[in-house]
Amino acid sequence: MNLPNDIDSLRERIQKILDPIASASDRCAKAVKDFLFTANRTDAGRSLPPYYLVYFLFVDLLGYKNLGQFEKVAWSVPIEYNGTAYLLEHRKMGMGLFAADKENQEGECQEIVRKIKKAAKAAQPYFEWHANEAAKQSKLNVLNHSMRLHDRYTFLLMEYKKKLEEAISRKDERIKTQHSERSWSVRMPYYELKKESEWLALSAIDAFYSFTEHVFIHAAILKGHLLTGEDVANLADKDWASKFKACLDVQDNSVKPHYDRLVVIKRQIRNYMTHGAFGKNGEAFEIHSGAGAVPLLMPHQKGSSRFSMQGGTEFQEEEAISAIEEFMQFYWESNDFPEVIYVKSTLPSILTYASDSTYRDAMASTADMESFVDYLIGVYDCTGNMDW
């Protein structure tokens, strides 16, 4: 289907699927007014498609009348089915189909919902076209999952530290086990605990890069570098280093040392965890030689050679964790970056604010950002409660 050229034919097809559902006629107007505030939520309406698909289907595509916002109601679309009035509404408690006589009209409500679900499925090309058109513009929010990702990172970091501390505390411990009269074995818990701490360190490091990739995208929006959905999608497809540079100036003397260390760790972690885990030093093969088995490395470092016999790619978990914590203290835990205040609020990044200078004004200082965040949280609270 070639949209928008074929949109009229799609509308006709959708309306045939919905028939006899129609926009409430003048004949039903009085009935709608009578039960607008007394209509009951039906059980059938609980299985409607998501509220936004219902809205785009009836209001955007088919042009049904939207009665607008009321207390605890975001939007209300009156429909009729075989001459009987119903309401499709998105209320504080969710999307629903509302009827005057819930018990006696439940059967018809089930048929209405069945037709709406079928129509929504047929309207998928329109939804996809609408999404692609929206992504070209700035009327978008980018969801902020930064704190959830941060919590994952800190949990793994703390578990790594606890495991390492336990390993160190038991370094001199020996556990002897007698297998027979002349057979004994000695186990040293330190080595097992140290291995487990390394696994947790690798997971914590990976969680850090996942977390910061997300933060850097939101920071780039707040700084005005990303103005449309396509801008965000394009940066999301790029590597961690590109996202870092979209957020922070790597030429800044206070930033560059952090970037240089973190980008090397990232490359090495990716080598170990993503490229098949051929050893954390990049060892993938052993060369047959007169010197014996010689490690052949796949370092995944900058340079023209894919393979190497030289070291230089190895990293120590404790050093990597230290570099990460130093960066977190420099950026995330400082009061020098207004965007961090916004990101920590968990508010979504609003692309229209990036394009109309709202964020630019808020980014003037941390005090300005704190005031803006307080205001916006209040707006979101009212919206979430549908207190219009």
Side-chain angles (χ1 to χ4, degrees):
M1 183 167 287
N2 182 21
L3 293 178
N5 295 335
D6 294 338
I7 200 164
D8 289 336
S9 62
L10 179 62
R11 285 195 187 100
E12 291 178 7
R13 180 186 170 198
I14 297 297
Q15 195 58 66
K16 286 180 180 178
I17 292 172
L18 290 172
D19 188 65
I21 299 172
S23 182
S25 63
D26 293 339
R27 188 162 46 86
C28 283
K30 185 177 184 303
V32 169
K33 287 181 181 179
D34 288 344
F35 76 40
L36 192 58
F37 299 105
T38 60
N40 297 307
R41 183 185 293 273
T42 63
D43 293 333
R46 300 183 190 281
S47 60
L48 281 166
Y51 70 91
Y52 46 88
L53 295 185
V54 176
Y55 181 90
F56 286 134
L57 176 66
F58 283 96
V59 179
D60 275 21
L61 179 60
L62 299 178
Y64 281 32
K65 184 177 181 180
N66 173 17
L67 299 179
Q69 296 175 342
F70 303 94
E71 186 66 19
K72 308 303 180 185
V73 178
W75 52 265
S76 177
V77 175
I79 62 172
E80 64 176 80
Y81 182 82
N82 289 330
T84 302
Y86 295 86
L87 287 172
L88 289 167
E89 287 189 343
H90 181 214
R91 296 185 177 182
K92 183 179 178 180
M93 300 304 292
M95 182 68 216
L97 174 63
F98 297 82
D101 187 350
K102 173 183 174 180
E103 286 73 19
N104 294 324
Q105 292 176 259
E106 190 64 34
E108 285 193 344
C109 290
Q110 291 176 2
E111 180 63 15
I112 290 171
V113 170
R114 186 188 68 79
K115 286 180 173 290
I116 290 175
K117 290 168 76 172
K118 187 176 180 181
K121 185 176 181 180
Q124 188 63 31
Y126 172 75
F127 299 146
E128 292 177 357
W129 172 77
H130 194 285
N132 281 291
E133 290 300 302
K136 298 175 184 177
Q137 304 174 29
S138 297
K139 295 180 180 180
L140 295 169
N141 293 348
V142 180
L143 297 180
N144 181 357
H145 302 300
S146 299
M147 294 311 297
R148 178 168 59 84
L149 294 170
H150 177 265
D151 290 345
R152 172 174 170 254
Y153 155 72
T154 54
F155 169 78
L156 290 167
L157 180 65
M158 291 302 103
E159 290 299 306
Y160 153 72
K161 289 184 175 182
K162 285 191 290 185
K163 188 69 70 172
L164 181 60
E165 184 178 348
E166 183 182 0
I168 293 171
S169 69
R170 300 177 67 180
K171 191 167 187 178
D172 297 325
E173 184 178 340
R174 306 290 187 270
I175 299 176
K176 294 181 180 181
T177 303
Q178 184 174 3
H179 303 288
S180 67
E181 186 177 342
R182 298 184 178 181
S183 175
W184 296 75
S185 65
V186 177
R187 182 171 67 88
M188 299 177 65
Y190 167 80
Y191 292 104
E192 184 176 336
L193 292 168
K194 187 66 167 63
K195 178 177 65 177
E196 292 174 357
S197 75
E198 290 175 0
W199 293 343
L200 287 166
L202 289 170
S203 295
I205 292 167
D206 183 63
F208 163 79
Y209 285 100
S210 176
F211 156 66
T212 48
E213 283 201 22
H214 191 81
V215 169
F216 293 157
I217 289 174
H218 284 281
I221 294 170
L222 290 158
K223 290 172 179 286
H225 302 323
L226 307 177
L227 304 179
T228 69
E230 288 187 336
D231 291 342
V232 174
N234 289 337
L235 183 59
D237 286 339
K238 293 182 180 179
D239 60 12
W240 180 88
S242 298
K243 296 181 179 76
F244 186 107
K245 293 174 183 176
C247 171
L248 295 165
D249 181 8
V250 295
Q251 302 305 316
D252 187 308
N253 290 334
S254 65
V255 174
K256 193 174 188 307
H258 293 288
Y259 172 78
D260 288 343
R261 293 174 71 189
L262 292 173
V263 80
V264 169
I265 295 169
K266 172 62 177 171
R267 201 174 290 128
Q268 292 167 343
I269 293 297
R270 182 171 62 244
N271 171 46
Y272 176 59
M273 300 188 72
T274 307
H275 293 289
F278 280 118
K280 71 177 185 181
N281 298 332
E283 57 268 29
F285 310 101
E286 288 182 333
I287 300 173
H288 301 177
S289 77
V294 177
L296 179 62
L297 308 181
M298 296 176 62
H300 297 280
Q301 300 286 332
K302 292 182 179 179
S304 58
S305 178
R306 187 179 184 187
F307 300 101
S308 173
M309 285 189 292
Q310 271 189 304
T313 65
E314 66 276 359
F315 67 94
Q316 298 296 323
E317 287 80 6
E318 292 180 48
E319 293 179 9
I321 291 292
S322 177
I324 285 170
E325 290 189 298
E326 287 177 16
F327 173 74
M328 290 292 285
Q329 188 173 17
F330 165 77
Y331 182 67
W332 186 254
E333 297 166 13
S334 76
N335 295 317
D336 299 328
F337 300 94
E339 69 270 19
V340 172
I341 296 170
Y342 189 97
V343 174
K344 285 182 177 179
S345 74
T346 72
L347 289 165
S349 292
I350 304 167
L351 294 183
T352 47
Y353 287 170
S355 60
D356 69 4
S357 78
T358 300
Y359 281 151
R360 184 184 63 193
D361 294 341
M363 288 283 289
S365 69
T366 54
D368 289 328
M369 183 58 79
E370 286 172 350
S371 297
F372 177 68
V373 166
D374 287 344
Y375 158 75
L376 203 56
I377 287 175
V379 172
Y380 265 83
D381 285 345
C382 290
T383 302
N385 289 322
M386 294 189 181
D387 293 331
W388 313 115

